[in-house]
Amino acid sequence: MTDCPCTSGKAYEDCCGPILDGSAPAETAEALMRSRYTAHVKGNYDHIADTHAPEAQADYNKDAARAQFAGVEWLGLDITATTDGGPSDDTGTVTFTARFRENGELMAHREKSLFRRIEGAWMYVDGDINPAIEQRRVEKVGRNDPCPCGSGKKYKKCCGAN
C-alpha cells in the first residue's frame, strides 16, 4: 500500500488511483484537484488534459507541460479552502498550494481553481494564480469600551486588567 501523492493521508489505491485509471469518477471538485496534482507527480498529462473543460482545453499543451515539469520534484499539496464542489453541486472552487523543488530551489504554486460539473463529471475551468489572501481585521478595544467578552464591564476592569 502506497500513500497517495496528494497528501490526503489515504492509500493511492483508495484515493487518486481509481480516478487516474478511469475506474471511478471524481466525486467532488477537491477530489479532482487532488487527482490532477497526483497526475503531475506521476507524469499522467493525459488525465490533466482530459479533465479540462471544453473552453479550457485550447490553452493546455501536454507536450509543453511535460517539458516544463520534467525536472520538478513534487513535495506536497495543501488544500486551504473549498467552496461548494460537493457531490450535489454543479460548480466549486478549490484553493490550494502545490509545493515543489525545481533546480534545487523550493517553490510553491498557489491557485484558486474553478471547477464545473459537465455531464456528471467534474472538470477544471480556470484558475486564479496567487489569489490575494484576505487580510485579518483587528478592531482595537478602548480602555473605556464595553468588554467584548459580554460581561457588561468596561474593558479595563475585565479582560484588559491583565
Side-chain angles (χ1 to χ4, degrees), residues 22-139:
S23 63
E27 293 186 12
T28 65
E30 181 178 332
L32 182 64
M33 178 64 246
R34 289 182 179 281
S35 75
R36 288 170 56 86
Y37 171 83
T38 299
H40 276 95
V41 173
K42 301 231 176 235
N44 185 343
Y45 296 99
D46 288 333
H47 176 70
I48 297 166
D50 294 344
T51 56
H52 273 78
E55 65 270 25
Q57 287 180 350
D59 294 334
Y60 184 73
N61 180 319
K62 283 191 290 189
D63 295 330
R66 186 175 285 111
Q68 178 183 0
F69 298 118
V72 170
E73 175 190 0
W74 296 97
L75 303 173
L77 176 69
D78 300 312
I79 304 292
T80 54
T82 58
T83 305
D84 299 326
S88 62
D89 295 317
D90 289 327
T91 62
T93 61
V94 179
T95 305
F96 68 92
T97 302
R99 295 174 284 106
F100 60 97
R101 186 183 335 265
E102 185 174 24
N103 299 322
E105 187 176 345
L106 292 175
M107 303 180 88
H109 172 84
R110 285 190 26 226
E111 184 174 326
K112 181 177 183 179
S113 297
L114 174 63
F115 295 90
R116 185 173 74 238
R117 191 186 301 270
I118 300 173
E119 296 177 10
W122 283 105
M123 300 291 215
Y124 171 82
V125 176
D126 195 5
D128 180 16
I129 297 173
N130 290 324
I133 298 172
E134 189 173 320
Q135 297 296 315
R136 283 184 25 191
R137 222 180 269 223
V138 178
E139 292 185 28

